[in-house]
Amino acid sequence: GDSVTQMEGPVTLSEEAFLTINCTYTATGYPSLFWYVQYPGEGLQLLLKATKADDKGSNKGFEATYRKETTSFHLEKGSVQVSDSAVYFCALSRDTGRRALTFGSGTRLQVQP
Amino acid sequence: GAGVSQTPSNKVTEKGKYVELRCDPISGHTALYWYRQSLGQGPEFLIYFQGTGAADDSGLPNDRFFAVRPEGSVSTLKIQRTERGDSAVYLCASSLLGTGGGDTQYFGPGTRLTVL
C-alpha cells in the first residue's frame, strides 16, 4: 500500500538557519504530494502541494520539488523564523483507488531565537 | 468564508459509552473525510463521503465505528462501546470535488476524545 516516510524530529534550529525536512513516498501511479503544517494549538493547514513530477510547490518561503526518480518531496526554507516552529506533515493523495490522504508521522521543528 | 468546523472540541467519556462527533464542512464541498490522529502520529484515514454516500470506509477499525452524511453536508461519526484505545483526536476534512490527487483537503480543528 501507499506510505510516506519523514525524517524523525525534533529538528532544532537557530533563527535564520536553513531548513530541510526529508520526505519519501511509496505509491502506485502518480500521486499528488502535500506538506501540511500544524502550529501549536491549531489545526492542520495546507502549506504547499505539487501534482506532477518536477513541479515545485511554494508558500511562505517554503519550497518542495516533486522528484519522481527519487520518490521524494523534501521541504526546504532558506531562513527559518521562530514563528515557523510547528509540526510538519508530508502526505500523498491518488486520483485512483483510495482518494484520502496518506500521511507521514510528522516532524517537529523548533526554532530558537 | 467559514472553514470546517467540528463539535465538540473536547469529549470525555467512560469506557463502554456511545459518542457522536459532528463535522460541518466548507459550504459547497462535495467530499468529506474523517481521520484519526494519535499522539505523535500522522492522521490515519477512517472514511470518505462523496455526497451522501460512503465512497470508501476501508479505514474504519471495526464495526463499533460508523459515520453518516444524510444530506450531503454535515457528517456525524458514531462510536459505540468506546474503548480506551479509541482516545485520539478525530479530524474532519472537506474538499471541493473528492477526486483525490490535487483536490485539496481542508481540515477542521478536531475533536479530542478521551475514554476513561
Side-chain angles (χ1 to χ4, degrees):
Chain A
D2 299 343
S3 67
V4 175
T5 303
Q6 290 181 236
M7 62 188 291
E8 290 192 15
V11 174
T12 304
L13 297 173
S14 297
E15 206 164 22
E16 299 184 2
F18 183 86
L19 168 71
T20 299
I21 300 178
N22 291 336
C23 170
T24 57
Y25 68 91
T26 301
T28 56
Y30 300 92
S32 293
L33 302 173
F34 302 81
W35 278 99
Y36 280 83
V37 58
Q38 193 166 37
Y39 296 103
E42 298 185 17
L44 276 168
Q45 301 175 23
L46 177 68
L47 181 59
L48 55 83
K49 71 178 185 182
T51 59
K52 60 183 187 294
D54 300 324
D55 268 3
K56 178 184 285 187
S58 60
N59 186 26
K60 299 182 181 179
F62 290 89
E63 293 182 341
T65 301
Y66 188 157
R67 300 289 188 200
K68 184 139 185 78
E69 63 275 14
T70 54
T71 61
S72 65
F73 194 53
H74 305 321
L75 183 68
E76 297 182 334
K77 186 175 186 182
S79 176
V80 294
Q81 305 300 311
V82 172
S83 58
D84 294 327
S85 298
V87 181
Y88 292 81
F89 292 93
C90 186
L92 69 83
S93 177
R94 290 192 279 124
D95 56 9
T96 57
R98 174 171 285 188
R99 307 297 171 85
L101 289 161
T102 299
F103 284 89
S105 57
T107 303
R108 180 175 299 278
L109 171 66
Q110 299 173 335
V111 181
Q112 298 176 336
Chain B
V4 178
S5 62
Q6 293 185 245
T7 54
S9 55
N10 278 284
K11 176 69 178 179
V12 180
T13 191
E14 294 180 343
K15 181 176 178 297
K17 299 291 189 183
Y18 169 83
V19 296
E20 289 189 351
L21 311 179
R22 176 188 168 103
C23 172
D24 277 275
I26 293 172
S27 178
H29 279 194
T30 62
L32 185 147
Y33 308 77
W34 284 99
Y35 296 84
R36 178 168 70 175
Q37 186 176 19
S38 300
L39 193 63
Q41 299 298 315
E44 294 181 326
F45 168 68
L46 295 175
I47 186 170
Y48 148 56
F49 288 89
Q50 183 67 276
T52 59
D56 182 353
D57 64 358
S58 61
L60 295 177
N62 52 59
D63 61 6
R64 296 186 298 106
F65 288 75
F66 189 70
V68 295
R69 194 185 185 201
E71 297 178 356
S73 178
V74 170
S75 176
T76 304
L77 179 66
K78 309 180 182 195
I79 310 174
Q80 299 178 320
R81 305 183 303 280
T82 52
E83 299 177 357
R84 293 193 179 88
D86 298 336
S87 296
V89 176
Y90 289 81
L91 298 172
C92 177
S94 70
S95 71
L96 183 62
L97 301 174
T99 53
D103 183 41
T104 299
Q105 294 181 32
Y106 297 89
F107 283 81
T111 294
R112 181 176 299 278
L113 175 66
T114 303
V115 182
L116 300 177

